[in-house]
Amino acid sequence: MPAGLQAKRVNELDCECLSYRFEVDGSNFTTAGEASVQVKRILRRIGFPPETIKRASIAMYEGEINMVIHAGGGIAELFIYEDKIVVVLTDHGPGIADVALAMKEGYSTAPDNIRALGFGAGMGLPNMKRYTDIMDIQTALGKGTVITMTVNV
Amino acid sequence: MKISEIASILNGTILCCEEISGEEVFSACGSDMMSDVLAYVKNQAVLLTGLVNPQVIRTAEMMDMKCVVFVRNKAPSDEILAIARQSGIAVIKTAYRMYEACGMLYAGGLTGKAGE
């Protein structure tokens, strides 16, 4: 895990919030997106406004798909506060070589077989940023990536 | 337009969640790229696609859609239908190609603009 990230996550856990943890299987594309569907249902049960739920779940879904495509899966965590929803995606994949380039709409390193599955258009990261209020990317080549997304309620 | 009318216009078959076929939908979109659906679609309740995998249904659920139409006679697996059933998303299969299917629904009054 990239340095400096553990502390951030511990801080999150110290707060009074509801938290959930999902293992995202990187070996099987069929299950990609399952965790986000579960998160959407959790957020619906709690009763957040539909638009807030949509933003948080789409952002997580894009991130979850990315983890499966690029990083061999990872861990997705959900922290629910009264005034915000925080999603933390942690993987031990190759890391993102150029974050600014990866954030450009249409830029993708996904192989053709992923495009045949309907993804890899280079919209994932820009979309995650668009749907969230704060997005933080910590990445280290060869070590992994931690993406923290916050949606204010 | 009711979901049942979509099936009827497209000479299609409702494969699951027939119980919501009386619900009204007001707009639709067509795409084989789920990335584009997630990026560009706003408040469309119906997705027409030639792509068949579980992520089609999950993408539709993320976008709060009510109905997925598989064009070109693409048959979703039982697993895909089970996911749709759990999500409460109606699934329709039609033999028409994407262009024709979209055109027929558009001509029937189902546009790409929600609430306009």
Side-chain angles (χ1 to χ4, degrees):
Chain A
M1 181 179 296
L5 297 169
Q6 197 66 43
K8 187 169 199 167
R9 290 180 48 205
V10 171
N11 281 342
E12 293 283 1
L13 286 170
D14 281 345
C15 295
E16 280 196 18
C17 63
L18 268 175
S19 66
Y20 298 83
R21 186 178 190 275
F22 304 88
E23 277 181 35
V24 177
D25 182 0
S27 63
N28 184 2
F29 192 77
T30 304
T31 57
E34 260 183 5
S36 303
V37 170
Q38 286 187 55
V39 162
K40 183 153 194 172
R41 289 179 188 160
I42 290 167
L43 297 175
R44 272 194 196 130
R45 271 205 303 276
I46 293 174
F48 286 112
E51 205 48 42
T52 306
I53 296 173
K54 194 171 172 180
R55 288 171 59 211
S57 53
I58 291 174
M60 175 171 167
Y61 184 67
E62 291 275 21
E64 185 183 352
I65 299 277
N66 271 351
M67 278 172 117
V68 176
I69 294 174
H70 297 287
I75 300 294
E77 290 162 294
L78 170 70
F79 302 98
I80 302 170
Y81 300 81
E82 259 181 53
D83 59 345
K84 63 181 177 181
I85 298 160
V86 179
V87 174
V88 182
L89 304 170
T90 306
D91 71 59
H92 300 285
I96 302 167
D98 185 336
V99 173
L101 191 57
M103 287 300 301
K104 258 180 81 174
E105 288 194 4
Y107 176 81
S108 176
T109 57
D112 284 347
N113 66 321
I114 293 300
R115 269 185 267 278
L117 293 167
F119 292 92
M123 294 306 295
L125 281 170
N127 228 3
M128 287 155 71
K129 189 169 176 61
R130 180 184 313 157
Y131 283 112
T132 54
D133 291 297
I134 306 166
M135 181 166 88
D136 175 66
I137 302 175
Q138 301 289 326
T139 187
L141 282 182
K143 290 184 178 166
T145 301
V146 178
I147 297 184
T148 305
M149 296 179 286
T150 303
V151 173
N152 295 327
V153 176
Chain B
M1 183 181 287
K2 286 182 177 154
I3 290 172
S4 58
E5 289 175 77
I6 294 175
S8 151
I9 288 172
L10 298 178
N11 204 11
T13 315
I14 300 179
L15 300 175
C16 85
C17 295
E18 196 152 8
E19 65 277 7
I20 66 160
S21 63
E23 286 196 22
E24 290 275 350
V25 290
F26 299 96
S27 67
C29 65
S31 181
D32 286 352
M33 279 304 277
M34 296 303 108
S35 293
D36 286 346
V37 173
L38 290 160
Y40 300 115
V41 167
K42 269 193 172 178
N43 301 324
Q44 267 91 5
V46 182
L47 169 64
L48 292 96
T49 186
L51 181 74
V52 186
N53 63 31
Q55 282 71 32
V56 172
I57 306 295
R58 292 192 189 117
T59 300
E61 170 148 18
M62 288 302 136
M63 304 307 287
D64 295 327
M65 290 172 165
K66 289 183 177 172
C67 176
V68 170
V69 178
F70 289 111
V71 297
R72 300 194 294 275
N73 249 338
K74 301 257 179 161
S77 64
D78 290 344
E79 185 194 8
I80 293 173
L81 291 176
I83 295 170
R85 220 167 271 125
Q86 265 202 333
S87 304
I89 293 172
V91 174
I92 295 172
K93 186 182 91 163
T94 177
Y96 288 107
R97 293 176 182 190
M98 178 76 102
Y99 180 75
E100 290 172 299
C102 290
M104 290 159 89
L105 293 181
Y106 198 99
L110 188 64
T111 68
K113 292 174 184 170
E116 286 175 33

